[in-house]
Amino acid sequence: MSTYLSVDRISKRYKTTLAVDGLSFTVQSGRIFAFLGPNGAGKSTSVRMLLGLTRPDSGTIRYHNIPAGERPLAQAVGYLPEERGLYIDQTVIDNLVYLSRLRGLARKTATTRAREWLERFDLADRGKEKIEALSKGNQQKVQLIAAVMHEPEVLFLDEPFSGLDPINQEKMLNLLRDLRNKGITILLSAHQMELVERLADDLLLMSQGRSVLQGSLAQILADQARGTRLLLGLDQPADLQDISARDGVIGVEQEDDSLSLLLNSSVNLNDLLGYLSADLKINSIHTERPSLHDVYVEAVVQATADDSAARARHGEANNGADLLG
């Protein structure tokens, strides 16, 4: 397995906002790499730098060990943006042919491939319709076709499941697996944690412009197995505010007569159950390994807490310096 993309300590500032702060990671060829993080974490800015749409203020980006600025990327890259990049007053087939020609395909080849891809996505009878006549989900399919028709070596996908119903989400999952199996490297950003968990080989979790968790998905989930999701069956609703304030409880969800608690590795399960059973009638108890969603929530909450603590210490240090001054 070879390194396709290497990112070393890149940073990007916009006026007073440090969008990306010393970010480093590597992407291996022929794997699916997921960017995760809350809104404002720096994912989109990072992807824009990888695509060459903006330059980092510092740090380096290398493709196959060649600096990004020295390697033409137009034909090597496929990009599906979160916002639609289609001409809505033009037909589906005209959009696909035009965008493919920008990537270097001849018109005849582009037309043939467009028809083949539309057939695969159950859109063969919609080729002569204008984009604006399509549903959001079908527009997303056309956008993806435009990203893959020129057979790129790397795909950047921003929210590829947006607007897709469950059936088409499954088709998207299968398509992305097929592309990976053909050797295409895929970098994606998505909020559907269950789908990412089923698809990704590796991930990078960002918060406030920095990496807080990265590596192979299988290893990350294994490392987090010491954490627990506790599922309780109850005879009556619980007071969520009191429970969520307990040490070691990261998240609480209640639905009808069931209670789900996400716990970190420091919690004393016996003490917690003793506390809960004092006020609640518990009729069933079940534990399970955390999902990617659980790992995501815990890592972001911890990163936010660490950052707040660091800011507080920095403020105290500045106040102390002012007093000494």
Side-chain angles (χ1 to χ4, degrees):
M1 188 183 303
S2 62
T3 298
Y4 181 82
L5 171 65
S6 177
V7 176
D8 184 27
R9 294 172 291 180
I10 60 171
S11 295
K12 186 67 178 180
R13 179 181 293 276
Y14 295 105
K15 295 184 178 179
T16 60
T17 301
L18 184 58
V20 178
D21 184 10
L23 183 66
S24 298
F25 63 93
T26 58
V27 178
Q28 303 302 314
S29 296
R31 289 173 71 84
I32 298 178
F33 185 98
F35 282 96
L36 303 178
N39 293 334
K43 304 187 301 298
S44 294
T45 299
S46 298
V47 170
R48 288 179 63 83
M49 288 190 284
L50 298 181
L51 288 168
L53 300 177
T54 187
R55 293 179 178 272
D57 297 331
S58 60
T60 60
I61 299 170
R62 293 175 175 269
Y63 287 89
H64 288 309
N65 208 32
I66 301 173
E70 300 177 12
R71 186 169 188 264
L73 293 177
Q75 295 185 21
V77 170
Y79 178 42
L80 184 150
E82 183 175 10
E83 302 83 11
R84 296 289 178 267
L86 303 171
Y87 297 93
I88 63 171
D89 60 344
Q90 300 297 313
T91 68
V92 170
I93 198 77
D94 285 346
N95 266 273
L96 293 175
V97 171
Y98 174 73
L99 293 172
S100 295
R101 294 196 70 196
L102 292 179
R103 298 292 192 180
L105 291 187
R107 179 180 293 275
K108 184 176 180 180
T109 301
T111 302
T112 300
R113 289 187 186 178
R115 289 172 176 160
E116 291 172 351
W117 278 101
L118 289 172
E119 180 76 32
R120 180 169 184 175
F121 274 95
D122 301 322
L123 292 173
D125 59 342
R126 311 294 296 272
K128 294 183 179 180
E129 294 186 26
K130 292 183 178 181
I131 295 293
E132 61 189 357
L134 303 183
S135 67
K136 182 179 179 181
N138 282 335
Q139 288 184 25
Q140 183 76 342
K141 293 180 187 179
V142 175
Q143 186 85 60
L144 179 68
I145 293 171
V148 301
M149 267 181 52
H150 63 292
E151 299 180 347
E153 62 186 48
V154 60
L155 266 176
F156 289 86
L157 307 176
D158 196 352
E159 299 298 335
F161 305 105
S162 176
L164 300 181
D165 59 36
I167 298 298
N168 283 303
Q169 286 180 354
E170 289 296 325
K171 288 185 177 182
M172 179 71 78
L173 286 171
N174 291 332
L175 169 65
L176 296 182
R177 293 188 186 107
D178 287 346
L179 294 174
R180 175 190 57 192
N181 293 339
K182 291 178 180 178
I184 295 177
T185 304
I186 300 173
L187 292 87
L188 66 87
S189 174
H191 285 100
Q192 297 88 346
M193 293 294 154
E194 178 187 354
L195 299 178
V196 173
E197 185 170 355
R198 292 172 58 191
L199 183 65
D201 299 305
D202 309 292
L203 67 83
L204 167 67
L205 174 57
M206 296 181 65
S207 179
Q208 301 185 34
R210 297 186 293 273
S211 167
V212 297
L213 196 64
Q214 62 176 284
S216 79
L217 178 58
Q219 188 59 54
I220 286 172
L221 291 176
D223 290 345
Q224 298 298 320
R226 60 186 183 276
T228 305
R229 179 169 285 280
L230 179 64
L231 306 173
L232 303 175
L234 307 176
D235 281 350
Q236 62 188 37
D239 187 334
L240 301 188
Q241 185 172 357
D242 286 347
I243 296 173
S244 61
R246 295 285 298 183
D247 288 342
V249 178
I250 302 168
V252 181
E253 298 174 5
Q254 185 168 249
E255 183 175 351
D256 297 330
D257 57 353
S258 65
L259 186 66
S260 175
L261 283 71
L262 177 60
L263 313 175
N264 68 21
S265 56
S266 66
V267 73
N268 186 309
L269 192 56
N270 288 331
D271 288 348
L272 178 62
L273 287 173
Y275 165 77
L276 294 172
S277 61
D279 295 320
L280 302 173
K281 186 174 181 181
I282 302 172
N283 53 44
S284 66
I285 299 174
H286 177 67
T287 61
E288 60 184 32
R289 192 184 78 170
S291 65
L292 177 58
H293 172 84
D294 298 331
V295 172
Y296 170 95
V297 171
E298 180 175 3
V300 171
V301 168
Q302 186 61 53
T304 302
D306 291 345
D307 187 72
S308 297
R311 290 177 183 272
R313 289 194 298 270
H314 182 69
E316 291 173 357
N318 285 343
N319 289 337
D322 291 342
L323 291 173
L324 290 173

